[in-house]
Amino acid sequence: MSTSTAQKKIRVVVAKPGLDGHDRGAKIIARALRDAGMEVIYTGLHQTPEQIVETVIQEDADAVGLSILSGAHMTLVPRIVELLKEQGIDDVLVTVGGTIPADDIPELKKLGVAEVFTPGAPTSDIIDFIQGAVAERE
């Protein structure tokens, strides 16, 4: 297959910002995205917003999935979005997953988060959303 006909793999950074020490869900999502044909870069635990943005830049990611269970999403997500903007990165899809109160979801979307996935969201929904949203941006 020549490179001109090969479909470019979607590159997704899956990140665990902050002090949250639970990554089972992030690993399940990372595996599901990989199984769906995406290239997944998993950052591991305890990443700072700066480290996450640096990884997004270095990996030339199409999307970043932030997994947050610690309750610090209204601090961490705005900082990551701000850092992406400061770096001139406006074409990376930002999604958030984890224990996010329903009241915070509109505020996160106002900041530029494309979608928020709460516990129990089927991996197929996450895959479909990322594939559709990245295709729209190309």
Side-chain angles (χ1 to χ4, degrees), residues 71-84:
H73 51 277
M74 296 307 288
T75 304
L76 294 165
V77 174
R79 180 71 182 134
I80 291 165
V81 170
E82 179 188 321
L83 287 167
L84 287 168

Side-chain angles (χ1 to χ4, degrees), residues 31-59:
R31 188 172 302 119
L33 297 176
R34 198 171 285 134
D35 290 349
M38 296 183 207
E39 201 169 321
V40 178
I41 301 93
Y42 175 57
T43 63
L45 292 167
H46 311 303
Q47 297 292 296
T48 66
E50 291 77 9
Q51 288 170 315
I52 292 166
V53 170
E54 185 61 32
T55 302
V56 168
I57 294 166
Q58 286 179 350
E59 297 294 343

Side-chain angles (χ1 to χ4, degrees), residues 8-12 37-40 62-63 130-131 134-135:
K8 180 180 156 289
K9 273 190 172 190
I10 296 172
R11 295 175 61 84
V12 183
M38 296 183 207
E39 201 169 321
V40 178
D62 299 299
I130 292 173
Q131 287 174 334
V134 169

